[in-house]
Amino acid sequence: MDHLKQIPSEERYQLPPPAYLSSSTGEDKEVNLRDYWKVIQKRKWTIIAFFLIVVVTTAVATFTMRPIYRSTVTIQINKENPQIVDFKEVFAVNTMDMDYYQTQYKILESRSLAKRVIHDLKLYEHPEFFSQPETPFQRWRSEVLSSISTLFLKKESGAENKSVESRKETFLISSFLKRLKVEPIRNSRLVKIHFDSYYPELSMQVSNAIATNYIQQNLENRFVTTEQARQWLTKQLEDLKARVERADEELQAFGSKHDIVSLEEKENVHLQRLKELNEALTKAESERIAKEAIYKQAEERNFESLPSILENKLIMELKQTYVQIEAQYMKLSETFKPGHPEMVRMKAQMETIQKRIDSEINRIITGIKNDYESSLRREALLRKAFEQQKARVMEMNEKAIKYNILKREADTNKELYRGLLQRMKEAGVSAGITASNIQIIDQAELPIKPYRPNKQLNLILAVAVGLLLGVGLAFFLEYLDNTVKTPEEVERLIRLPSFGMVPKLSLERKKRIERGDSGSIELITYTHPKSLLSEAYRNIRTSILLSFSGRPPKKMVITSPNPAEGKTTTVINTAIALSQTGSKVLIIDSDLRKPKVHRIFNGKNGGMGLSNFLSGHTNLESVIRSTEIPNLFYIASGPIPPNPSELIGSNLFKSMVGLLEERFDHIIFDSPPVLGFADTLILSSFMDGVILIVVGGQTPRETLQRAKDILYQVNAKILGVVINQVDIYRSDYGYYYYRYHYYYGKEGKRKELNYISPKEDKTDLS
């Protein structure tokens, strides 16, 4: 807190610790619950008044309401229609859909069904719908509703010259549907149909009639739908029969034109031929690749590695003979010269064998080449035949597409024809079926007691709602109330010390005091020292004396945030309480704008006063006046000057205060309000302390906070806050005031520690 930093440590007022530091969690909860109870006690008359309004209004409406009777019929709606023959009905609704039952509920509430029941029971002649209401309120409500309904019906129909009978019928159906209620039973196929009426017999009759007409309407709709389906099927069969015949003719003509017998894979000659050519081509291609490899090897003159040469027996025998002769030739060459006849013969023999070998190899190579060329030609012929056959198959496939389209259309038309023919036979059979999927489980019975109003339930709800709304309104009003009411709020929200509360006098006592038979209320501490007000001002005196350590404050300013908050009354009574301790106390009326102190002491403000002294027209002794109260003196404001702030802020005023401090133990200044005037701020800057006066339940917290902030800006020392005019009968402290006041009575006699209400309090102010 900023203002505590401005006060010396030896003089600092010891504030109580905050609630959140001095309370445990459990205590906080207890305090919160107590706060709620305090709000209820404080606003109890608001709660009681609202409670009584709700209860009385509900009771009057309940006991004056015309009784309404309700009768109920229970029906069962099965998901599937009973099947007399084993087929699916063309007209049947898909009852597996989730919206099936919702559709049935809307049919029960439909205007067409209501119209059937109205004409069946001749409800247009019944007094339920056309009788005059019994009470004026009911007649007025009926006229208003009728006018509104007529307006809306005109708007919906868009017909300007609608007949009176038609409007009456429309209004009758709307009125009928308002009394009707359809209630599905959860997790079942049962539905309850309620009808409310002022007449119990009519309620029973209408409920049963709704169920009966609903079943009859369902059967009629089925019969009409079946007949319509049969007529439609007959027409469709004729068209479909012609389409089937036309499709067969087109299919047959197309097949004959393009030589299409069958498109099945096993019976398709072209496809089989293509398959065989494909297999032959694959085989020829493999053979050609193998022979081509041998041929390539032969072209490279690598004869020795050719299998056909290596495996040739003649070549092998010739090579073996050549090797033997060559061996003999080599052996003879060691003995004979090449020109020797034997050597020449053997040489010629070797050459002959070599020629035969070469001739055989050439023959084999020629055979390999011819074989390769033959396989190559065969592959080319097969490929050509394959491509030709492939083209034929592709052409056939293109024709097959059209053929299949025609065939599918013919098959589809035949299937549709057979299905429609079957459906037509079934529809013809089902036209005579009268079984229904709706049964009446419980007939409506004559009600023996009214359905509405439920007097006991209405009164219980009225009590509960009235109490809840009353308490809610009380807390809402308390939430809107942002005024200062208790010392705890001052210390917790504004962060200022509390010097106590001053009770509010009753109007009777206040008038008695103002008449003069009991003295002035500003002097009540002197005239009635044992009253509650006197005790409150003595508590303020004690707080002032204990606000500083070592010595009490000598010069103090008592002010308030706003005008008319009781600061002058507090100034005088606090001064009287201080003078009763034997101290010399001086009251200075520094409110040079609207002075009041002189009137309380029966003086005249037109004489010498503070403004005369500060303006230099008189001395200090001449403005100090004594009172009939011992040790109490005062200085009146004097004539109202044009410049109060300049006089208060003058050096002469400060010098005067210094001189008066030597003669008096306490000097109390009555000053203007803090907000709006600079006088109090000037005074507060050199005073020992400032006491703020607020009115309990009237001064807003924001106003007090603003006054505190302004005083801190001039380094004023705020000693504490006094809550004035507290209604102790509604306050949380009322019990304690009366408890201790009556315990320490005016004659010192000890009485019972009971709370005395205002009506029981017959004592005087003493």
Side-chain angles (χ1 to χ4, degrees):
M1 298 173 61
D2 297 337
H3 72 288
L4 292 180
K5 297 179 181 178
Q6 301 165 2
I7 303 176
S9 59
E10 66 273 13
E11 298 180 357
R12 189 171 297 166
Y13 177 76
Q14 301 297 324
L15 288 176
Y20 65 87
L21 294 178
S22 60
S23 301
S24 62
T25 304
E27 293 174 349
D28 284 344
K29 293 181 180 178
E30 183 180 355
V31 170
N32 289 335
L33 292 175
R34 190 184 299 118
D35 291 341
Y36 296 149
W37 178 246
K38 290 176 183 177
V39 173
I40 294 175
Q41 282 188 321
K42 178 181 176 182
R43 308 272 182 186
K44 61 182 179 181
W45 293 114
T46 301
I47 298 174
I48 293 173
F50 198 86
F51 172 79
L52 291 177
I53 290 173
V54 173
V55 173
V56 171
T57 303
T58 305
V60 171
T62 299
F63 286 97
T64 58
M65 185 183 298
R66 188 178 179 183
I68 298 175
Y69 296 88
R70 168 173 286 188
S71 187
T72 303
V73 61
T74 304
I75 64 174
Q76 178 180 346
I77 305 176
N78 296 318
K79 282 188 175 183
E80 296 179 357
N81 294 318
Q83 302 291 331
I84 304 302
V85 294
D86 190 13
F87 59 84
K88 296 181 179 179
E89 296 180 332
V90 177
F91 58 88
V93 181
N94 186 5
T95 55
M96 301 304 293
D97 294 340
M98 295 299 294
D99 58 352
Y100 171 71
Y101 282 107
Q102 294 298 327
T103 303
Q104 299 304 312
Y105 304 152
K106 294 302 179 182
I107 292 175
L108 285 169
E109 297 174 345
S110 64
R111 302 181 69 86
S112 61
L113 182 60
K115 187 175 181 180
R116 287 174 62 108
V117 176
I118 290 173
H119 286 280
D120 186 22
L121 298 179
K122 298 181 179 180
L123 296 181
Y124 44 81
E125 299 176 355
H126 199 279
E128 169 76 21
F129 298 96
F130 290 102
S131 63
Q132 292 295 327
E134 296 180 354
T135 64
F137 174 76
Q138 290 177 342
R139 286 196 297 270
W140 175 81
R141 186 181 65 176
S142 177
E143 292 175 0
V144 171
L145 292 177
S146 177
S147 301
I148 294 174
S149 301
T150 304
L151 290 176
F152 278 105
L153 290 172
K154 285 183 179 180
K155 183 177 180 181
E156 292 174 359
S157 63
E160 298 180 357
N161 300 320
K162 193 173 183 181
S163 63
V164 177
E165 292 76 8
S166 178
R167 289 200 301 269
K168 286 183 178 180
E169 184 182 31
T170 304
F171 177 75
L172 177 59
I173 294 174
S174 300
S175 179
F176 179 89
L177 292 176
K178 290 179 182 178
R179 293 166 168 79
L180 178 65
K181 182 180 179 182
V182 176
E183 181 186 358
I185 300 178
R186 192 174 182 181
N187 298 326
S188 71
R189 301 179 183 179
L190 302 179
V191 181
K192 289 185 177 181
I193 304 173
H194 310 288
F195 190 81
D196 299 336
S197 173
Y198 297 123
Y199 302 90
E201 298 84 359
L202 179 65
S203 176
M204 178 187 67
Q205 293 174 2
V206 171
S207 297
N208 290 326
I210 290 173
T212 304
N213 280 273
Y214 172 59
I215 296 173
Q216 185 64 30
Q217 180 177 275
N218 183 65
L219 292 174
E220 291 175 0
N221 291 338
R222 175 181 298 182
F223 179 81
V224 172
T225 305
T226 304
E227 185 63 24
Q228 292 175 351
R230 189 181 64 81
Q231 295 175 1
W232 180 82
L233 288 174
T234 302
K235 182 179 179 181
Q236 291 297 318
L237 278 173
E238 294 176 357
D239 297 339
L240 195 56
K241 181 178 180 182
R243 289 169 57 187
V244 169
E245 294 175 353
R246 186 168 56 254
D248 287 340
E249 292 175 357
E250 291 178 355
L251 180 64
Q252 184 66 28
F254 186 83
S256 301
K257 181 179 179 180
H258 297 283
D259 298 329
I260 299 176
V261 179
S262 176
L263 292 179
E264 296 295 332
E265 184 176 355
K266 294 181 179 180
E267 300 177 3
N268 195 332
V269 178
H270 296 282
L271 193 60
Q272 290 292 331
R273 175 63 177 166
L274 180 64
K275 184 177 180 181
E276 293 173 358
L277 287 173
N278 185 40
E279 292 176 356
L281 178 61
T282 303
K283 184 178 179 181
E285 188 177 11
S286 300
E287 292 177 356
R288 188 264 306 167
I289 292 172
K291 293 178 180 180
E292 184 178 5
I294 297 174
Y295 175 73
K296 294 293 184 182
Q297 186 178 2
E299 284 185 341
E300 294 175 358
R301 312 302 295 178
N302 189 8
F303 302 140
E304 299 297 332
S305 60
L306 291 174
S308 56
I309 295 176
L310 291 176
E311 297 174 358
N312 191 289
K313 294 182 179 180
L314 178 59
I315 294 175
M316 292 176 63
E317 291 176 356
L318 291 173
K319 284 184 177 182
Q320 186 177 6
T321 304
Y322 181 85
V323 170
Q324 292 176 357
I325 295 174
E326 186 180 16
Q328 292 176 5
Y329 180 82
M330 293 301 294
K331 185 177 180 181
L332 290 176
S333 63
E334 294 176 358
T335 306
F336 304 103
K337 293 181 179 182
H340 191 271
E342 186 63 24
M343 292 292 287
V344 173
R345 184 186 65 81
M346 293 182 65
K347 184 68 173 176
Q349 189 177 2
M350 289 172 58
E351 290 176 358
T352 302
I353 294 173
Q354 185 62 45
K355 289 180 180 180
R356 291 188 62 185
I357 292 174
D358 292 338
S359 175
E360 187 65 24
I361 290 174
N362 290 332
R363 186 186 63 79
I364 293 175
I365 294 302
T366 302
I368 291 174
K369 180 180 179 181
N370 294 333
D371 197 10
Y372 166 68
E373 292 176 351
S374 176
S375 62
L376 190 62
R377 286 191 299 271
R378 182 171 179 270
E379 180 186 359
L381 293 174
L382 286 174
R383 187 174 301 278
K384 182 178 180 181
F386 176 78
E387 293 298 333
Q388 292 175 352
Q389 188 65 27
K390 182 178 178 182
R392 295 192 192 97
V393 171
M394 294 297 294
E395 182 181 359
M396 184 60 64
N397 287 339
E398 292 177 359
K399 296 176 181 178
I401 294 174
K402 178 65 175 176
Y403 182 83
N404 288 330
I405 292 173
L406 295 174
K407 188 173 185 302
R408 279 196 300 270
E409 183 178 358
D411 294 341
T412 303
N413 290 335
K414 290 178 182 178
E415 185 66 26
L416 287 174
Y417 182 79
R418 286 194 293 269
L420 286 178
L421 186 60
Q422 179 67 22
R423 293 294 179 88
M424 183 177 176
K425 294 178 180 179
E426 293 175 356
V429 175
S430 63
I433 298 175
T434 58
S436 174
N437 63 323
I438 305 167
Q439 294 85 33
I440 298 178
I441 304 302
D442 292 324
Q443 291 278 353
E445 298 178 355
L446 185 68
I448 58 176
K449 63 178 182 178
Y451 171 71
R452 286 199 310 264
N454 190 336
K455 299 178 181 179
Q456 183 178 2
L457 179 61
N458 288 355
L459 292 178
I460 292 175
L461 290 177
V463 170
V465 172
L467 193 59
L468 287 175
L469 293 180
V471 172
L473 180 62
F475 279 98
F476 180 70
L477 295 176
E478 187 68 19
Y479 172 76
L480 297 179
D481 187 5
N482 67 334
T483 58
V484 179
K485 296 179 285 296
T486 63
E488 288 79 5
E489 291 181 354
V490 174
E491 296 175 358
R492 177 169 51 88
L493 301 177
I494 313 301
R495 302 289 183 179
L496 289 176
S498 174
F499 274 10
M501 300 187 302
V502 178
K504 181 180 181 180
L505 288 178
S506 64
L507 183 62
E508 180 183 354
R509 290 183 178 181
K510 192 171 183 179
K511 289 181 178 179
R512 190 169 57 197
I513 292 174
E514 291 175 353
R515 286 197 301 266
D517 57 354
S518 297
S520 173
I521 189 172
E522 287 80 3
L523 301 174
I524 195 169
T525 305
Y526 176 70
T527 57
H528 299 84
K530 292 186 178 181
S531 65
L532 291 179
L533 286 175
S534 302
E535 188 63 33
Y537 289 118
R538 282 192 288 271
N539 288 336
I540 297 174
R541 176 193 67 188
T542 303
S543 299
I544 292 173
L545 296 177
L546 298 178
S547 59
F548 282 10
S549 62
R551 65 173 180 83
K554 297 196 67 173
K555 50 184 184 297
M556 298 167 289
V557 176
I558 296 180
T559 183
S560 62
N562 303 308
E565 291 185 324
K567 53 184 174 53
T568 302
T569 303
T570 306
V571 166
I572 295 175
N573 282 286
T574 303
I576 293 173
L578 288 171
S579 67
Q580 290 174 350
T581 64
S583 301
K584 292 183 66 177
V585 182
L586 175 65
I587 300 174
I588 299 179
D589 192 354
S590 58
D591 189 352
L592 302 181
R593 303 174 187 273
K594 193 176 181 181
K596 188 179 178 183
V597 174
H598 63 281
R599 293 203 303 266
I600 297 172
F601 293 109
N602 299 321
K604 294 183 179 180
N605 199 37
M608 294 299 175
L610 180 62
S611 60
N612 301 100
F613 172 75
L614 294 178
S615 59
H617 293 88
T618 185
N619 57 19
L620 185 60
E621 292 294 334
S622 62
V623 298
I624 300 176
R625 303 177 186 180
S626 61
T627 64
E628 63 180 359
I629 303 172
N631 300 322
L632 182 62
F633 302 86
Y634 77 97
I635 296 178
S637 65
I640 298 176
N643 53 349
S645 300
E646 287 76 3
L647 294 179
I648 297 294
S650 64
N651 293 327
L652 181 59
F653 184 86
K654 296 180 181 178
S655 302
M656 179 197 72
V657 174
L659 293 174
L660 294 176
E661 279 188 283
E662 298 176 358
R663 296 180 54 182
F664 294 94
D665 297 316
H666 300 285
I667 304 174
I668 302 178
F669 292 85
D670 184 8
S671 67
V674 176
L675 302 180
F677 302 101
D679 306 12
T680 303
L681 302 180
I682 298 172
L683 278 172
S684 303
S685 62
F686 58 89
M687 292 290 120
D688 292 340
V690 179
I691 298 175
L692 289 171
I693 309 298
V694 297
V695 179
Q698 295 184 16
T699 303
R701 299 168 189 165
E702 295 80 3
T703 303
L704 179 57
Q705 180 67 40
R706 178 60 180 162
K708 166 192 168 184
D709 296 339
I710 292 176
L711 290 172
Y712 280 170
Q713 290 176 2
V714 297
N715 296 324
K717 303 176 182 66
I718 302 178
L719 300 180
V721 178
V722 175
I723 304 178
N724 195 22
Q725 300 181 25
V726 178
D727 189 354
I728 61 174
Y729 303 120
R730 298 180 63 185
S731 171
D732 303 331
Y733 298 90
Y735 168 75
Y736 301 103
Y737 269 99
Y738 275 100
R739 176 187 177 98
Y740 290 104
H741 175 64
Y742 282 93
Y743 186 70
Y744 301 101
K746 60 184 178 180
E747 298 179 358
K749 295 181 180 180
R750 189 166 182 171
K751 298 184 178 182
E752 295 182 0
L753 305 180
N754 294 328
Y755 173 76
I756 307 298
S757 66
K759 294 183 179 179
E760 296 172 345
D761 184 11
K762 304 300 182 181
T763 62
D764 202 350
L765 293 173
S766 59

